[in-house]
């Protein structure tokens, strides 16, 4: 077949396939154009998910009459200036657009009308493109407010490419994608007012904020992510080299079921960059179950020559010159912030618990109400966050001085999480209420510790809390060179299935690094000589059986140290503080003090909270005292 040049309409339709794969992508291009034009106010109106109609109005610079026909030409842009010899500096891009592809692509596959009045010009002009056919510019009365601006009206998107139209999801899904897109751009630019309407109904509105890098950003994020985000997140601000990271990291207990709640921006451009996504995952790795995801809003700012923004037609991916630096910055800043948050758990946790014990649950017997509270805790909810968790000290200030056996993280690895620590000399019960997790008052159902704080009560899931403590201790010990072991006075013989025993003994070396020393004893018998000291007394048989299961599940390839989480929870499960064991007051208080001194103790290894706090004020409200 002879080689032919494609006609321009075909070229534009092909480009449209990449640049505007769905209505949300078209909305993004038009909003970015408005932002590039310096708009302070952007109104987006859609019908039928943007497929019937998508309109974007702005009060930006506008387009002069003579520029209108050029704006809809392919590769025509006002945002890059070619130097001598025609070269352009693609590493020095300060605008969101630069490829000159959006308007011609949209014009090729839809009915496009642009009405614009350049700032300061007397009259407004209009141009129409229908499936690639351009009509001449004509004058039109300006109905937009202010001195000028631009209205871009896109009707019957993809009417000229029926194949693409077939691939559209439901109108509802497209509406949601557009909403998401508008919100992402709104997060990047708190200084600009945004409104989104669908079929005349307002879906999102945010007024312009002063101080877009400080308080204004916080307010805008609250407008987009909800009021719960601020109290459940930690502010970040770190610089490495020329790269600055700001924004907010959601507490691990504030997790969600999808990654859609991770909002990433590079030099103000919303991106879905793999490097950043990977860095976020790494930072939260051992704080969340595999299928749960944190909520974050991260803003990476760096000199434009340090990042290539021209690697993706829709510009959602970027390439960093020094990828390791950026990754290190993100992982480091997030890990640091999360460690600093220590035992903070999400405020929504208390909210959910309160919701569950509200009077409308009253007809149920009390036990049922608590079960409901538990369900509410696992099925994380955004609503009803009326409870509050104390605001955590930014570093574990209780770390040093809390009980000698209480795990002072500061000086070397702690000795024991086995809760044998007596309260510090001179520490009276009345003092203990001033600790964040308060003074233990009771243990209920051999599972929960109820403690009194200065202005509320705390309910701790003793098992979840202990599991977390063991895990953090193990990590600290391993990093410091080894897990302390305690020799059993009389070694315990555990009978296992011979094949299981063999599997377990094959990993004996690794297990001894984790504090568990075992030997073969003939047949299926295994001799347990030493156990991890931090577990206290253990049920050796149960633990070995759990470990056999873990090892079978992990397969040969995985080092136990890498699977520490699984191994620790199996060990902690058989340690002294499992659910169903009665604890003394000393043990309970020791556990509370250790939690306060341990990073990440606000959630168990699966991101479930280890405790909830109910403020007296909320409890009083429950009883109608307020
Ligand atoms: P790009 O944004 O990559 O330059 P587009 O096809 O999106 O390409 O737009 C082409 C040109 O039209 C822009 O460079 C800009 O000069 C002009 N333009 C588009 N939209 C607007 C707008 N809302 N306000 C002012 N100028 C605009
Ligand atoms: Mg553009």
């Amino acid at each position: 077949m002879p080689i032919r040049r494609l006609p321009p309409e075909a070229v534009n339709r092909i480009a449209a396939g990449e640049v505007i794969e769905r209505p949300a992508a078209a909305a993004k291009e038009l909003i970015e154009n408005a932002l590039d034009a310096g708009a302070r106010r952007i109104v987006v109106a859609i019908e039928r998910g943007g497929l019937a109609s998508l309109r974007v109005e702005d009060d930006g610079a506008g387009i002069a009459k003579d520029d209108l026909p050029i704006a809809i030409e392919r590769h025509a842009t006002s945002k890059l200036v070619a130097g001598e010899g025609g070269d352009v500096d693609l590493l020095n891009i300060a605008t969101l657009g630069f490829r000159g592809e959006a308007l011609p692509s949209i014009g090729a596959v839809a009915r496009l009308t642009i009405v614009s009045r350049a700032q300061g010009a007397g009259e407004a002009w209009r141009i129409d493109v229908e499936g690639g056919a351009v009509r001449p510019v004509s004058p039109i009365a300006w109905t937009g407010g202010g001195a000028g601006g631009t209205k871009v009206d896109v009707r019957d998107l993809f009417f000229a490419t029926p194949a693409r139209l077939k691939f559209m999801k439901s109108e509802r899904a497209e509406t949601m994608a557009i909403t998401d897109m508008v919100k992402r751009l709104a997060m990047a630019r708190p200084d600009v007012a945004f409104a989104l309407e669908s079929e005349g109904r307002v879906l999102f509105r945010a007024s312009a904020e002063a101080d877009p890098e400080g308080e204004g950003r916080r307010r805008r994020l609250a407008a987009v992510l909800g009021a719960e985000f601020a109290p459940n997140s930690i502010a970040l601000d770190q610089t490495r080299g020329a790269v600055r990271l700001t924004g907010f990291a959601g507490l691990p207990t504030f997790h969600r079921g999808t990654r859609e709640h991770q909002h990433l921006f590079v030099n103000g451009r919303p991106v879905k960059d793999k490097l950043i996504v990977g860095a976020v995952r790494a930072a939260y790795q051992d704080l969340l179950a595999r299928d749960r995801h944190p909520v974050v809003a991260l803003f990476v700012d760096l000199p434009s020559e340090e990042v290539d923004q021209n690697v993706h037609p829709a510009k959602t991916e970027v390439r960093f010159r020094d990828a390791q630096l950026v990754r290190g910055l993100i992982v480091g800043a997030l890990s640091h912030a999360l460690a600093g948050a220590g035992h903070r758990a999400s405020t929504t946790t208390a909210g959910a618990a309160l919701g569950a014990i509200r009077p409308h649950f009253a007809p149920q017997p009390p036990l049922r109400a608590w079960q409901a509270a538990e369900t509410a805790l696992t099925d994380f909810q955004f609503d009803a966050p009326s409870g509050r968790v104390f605001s955590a000290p930014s570093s574990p200030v209780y770390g040093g001085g809390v009980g000698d056996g209480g795990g002072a993280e500061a000086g070397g690895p702690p000795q024991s999480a086995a809760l044998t620590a007596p309260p510090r000399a001179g520490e009276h019960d009345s003092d203990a209420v001033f600790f964040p997790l308060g003074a233990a008052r009771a243990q209920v159902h051999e599972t929960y510790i109820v403690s009194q704080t200065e202005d509320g009560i705390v309910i701790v899931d003793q098992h979840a809390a202990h599991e977390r403590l063991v895990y953090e201790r193990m990590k600290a010990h391993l990093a410091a060179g080894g897990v302390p072991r305690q020799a059993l006075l009389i070694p315990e013989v555990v009978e296992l299935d011979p094949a299981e025993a063999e599997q377990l003994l094959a990993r004996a070396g690794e297990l001894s690094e984790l504090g568990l020393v075992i030997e073969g004893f003939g047949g299926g018998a295994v001799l347990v000589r030493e156990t991890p000291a931090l577990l206290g007394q253990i049920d050796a048989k149960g633990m070995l059986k759990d470990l056999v299961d873990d090892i079978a599940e992990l397969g040969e390839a995985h080092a136990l140290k890498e699977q520490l989480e699984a191994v620790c929870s199996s060990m902690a499960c058989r340690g002294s503080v499992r659910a169903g064991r009665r604890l003394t007051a000393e043990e309970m208080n020791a556990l509370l003090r250790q939690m306060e001194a341990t990073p990440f103790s606000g959630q168990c290894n699966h991101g479930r909270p280890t405790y909830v706090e109910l403020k007296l004020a909320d409890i009083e409200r429950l009883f109608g005292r307020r």
Side-chain angles (χ1 to χ4, degrees), residues 29 32-33 36 79 97-98 102 315:
E29 292 294 336
E32 289 187 346
N33 279 347
D36 282 343
K79 300 168 194 177
F98 55 86
K315 294 165 287 192

Side-chain angles (χ1 to χ4, degrees), residues 33-44:
N33 279 347
L35 290 171
D36 282 343
R40 315 303 303 171
R41 215 186 104 252
I42 298 174
V43 180
V44 182

Side-chain angles (χ1 to χ4, degrees), residues 343 389-393 397-398 431-439 451-455 457-458 592-593 596 611 613 615:
H343 48 260
V389 168
F390 57 84
S391 63
V397 288
Y398 299 93
D431 296 339
V433 298
F434 295 107
F435 284 115
L437 295 178
S451 73
Q452 179 177 344
T453 59
E454 203 181 346
D455 60 349
I457 64 173
V458 167
L592 298 180
R593 301 293 82 82
E596 285 157 358
Y611 74 90
E613 184 183 33
K615 290 291 185 201

Side-chain angles (χ1 to χ4, degrees), residues 29-30 33-34 36-37 58 60-63 71 76-79 97-104 116 150 152 315:
E29 292 294 336
L30 299 179
N33 279 347
D36 282 343
D58 68 63
I63 309 173
T77 178
S78 58
K79 300 168 194 177
F98 55 86
R99 295 169 61 111
E101 286 183 316
L103 294 180
S116 192
T150 303
V152 181
K315 294 165 287 192

Side-chain angles (χ1 to χ4, degrees), residues 176 180 184 225 229 250-252 254-264 272 277 280-281 284 288-297 378 380 382:
M176 275 172 49
D180 205 53
R184 272 174 206 267
L225 297 175
F229 184 62
L251 291 175
F254 195 66
H255 55 66
R256 302 297 308 267
T258 74
R259 208 177 294 138
E260 290 304 300
H261 305 276
Q262 298 179 16
H263 305 279
L264 316 171
K272 298 216 156 144
V277 169
V280 171
R281 194 185 311 126
Y284 280 89
L288 286 177
R290 241 171 285 294
D291 56 343
R292 305 303 299 175
H293 304 275
V295 182
V296 300
T378 23
F380 170 76
F382 256 99

